[in-house]
Amino acid sequence: MNVSDALDVLKKEGYKYTGKREMMIQLFADEDRYISAKEVLEHMQKDYPGLSFDTIYRNLSLFQELTILEETELEGEKRYRITCQTHSHHHHLICLTCGRTEHFHTCPVSEEAIAKQFPAFQVEGHKFEVYGTCESCSLKKA
């Protein structure tokens, strides 16, 4: 998703356009990694010195609800990234050092196998993440 698409989603759903929201979305669009609320606040305090964590968390929650952002948990902390532009089924490799993500399109989960073993369970979707160290961070460590 890009900034323009995200702002269109906000408008379509009846939410106000604000400079703060645009700046938050732009930050996520510029980064190819999961970002914590703390990182968002630190980035935005340059332009909005009185900004609070409550405002950040409210908007992160709204953006996730509207599928502008995706959420994961790393080291016990929620982190967010802009929703992937690819609409094909995929999963993520996530670097634990820098937070950068890569898509991979091989799916290790067979919904048919789940349905066979648990016929009463209705699968509505799944998410698969692999954590490790990206090539760039591995080279820095070496």
Side-chain angles (χ1 to χ4, degrees), residues 24 36-38 40-42 44 51-63 80:
M24 282 182 74
S36 69
K38 180 182 176 189
V40 174
L41 182 63
E42 288 171 355
M44 294 188 62
L51 193 62
S52 70
F53 265 118
D54 286 346
T55 299
I56 297 295
Y57 281 116
R58 269 195 310 277
N59 281 288
L60 291 173
S61 178
L62 172 64
F63 296 162
Y80 305 85

Side-chain angles (χ1 to χ4, degrees), residues 79 85 90 140:
R79 299 192 188 209
Q85 289 192 2
H90 68 281
K140 288 176 187 174

Side-chain angles (χ1 to χ4, degrees), residues 18-140:
T18 66
K20 289 176 191 170
R21 286 181 173 164
E22 181 178 7
M23 186 176 185
M24 282 182 74
I25 293 168
Q26 186 65 56
L27 171 63
F28 285 101
D30 291 343
E31 298 285 337
D32 188 23
R33 64 188 184 96
Y34 282 92
I35 303 170
S36 69
K38 180 182 176 189
E39 289 174 287
V40 174
L41 182 63
E42 288 171 355
H43 174 80
M44 294 188 62
Q45 280 186 325
K46 299 168 196 162
D47 293 319
Y48 300 99
L51 193 62
S52 70
F53 265 118
D54 286 346
T55 299
I56 297 295
Y57 281 116
R58 269 195 310 277
N59 281 288
L60 291 173
S61 178
L62 172 64
F63 296 162
Q64 183 190 4
E65 181 183 319
L66 298 176
T67 66
I68 293 169
L69 296 181
E70 298 175 5
E71 176 189 279
T72 195
E73 189 172 315
L74 294 171
E75 300 171 345
E77 181 180 23
K78 287 184 181 184
R79 299 192 188 209
Y80 305 85
R81 70 172 305 228
I82 196 94
T83 297
C84 298
Q85 289 192 2
T86 179
H87 296 291
S88 63
H89 184 75
H90 68 281
H91 299 285
H92 294 129
L93 301 173
I94 303 171
C95 180
L96 293 170
T97 303
C98 69
R100 188 174 307 133
T101 63
E102 294 288 337
H103 300 139
F104 68 96
H105 295 274
T106 304
C107 184
V109 178
S110 166
E111 291 183 5
E112 293 80 21
I114 293 170
K116 192 174 190 178
Q117 187 171 352
F118 303 97
F121 187 79
Q122 299 297 310
V123 175
E124 295 182 21
H126 65 271
K127 178 178 172 180
F128 188 77
E129 298 173 332
V130 178
Y131 305 99
T133 306
C134 70
E135 182 179 8
S136 177
C137 290
S138 291
L139 291 172
K140 288 176 187 174

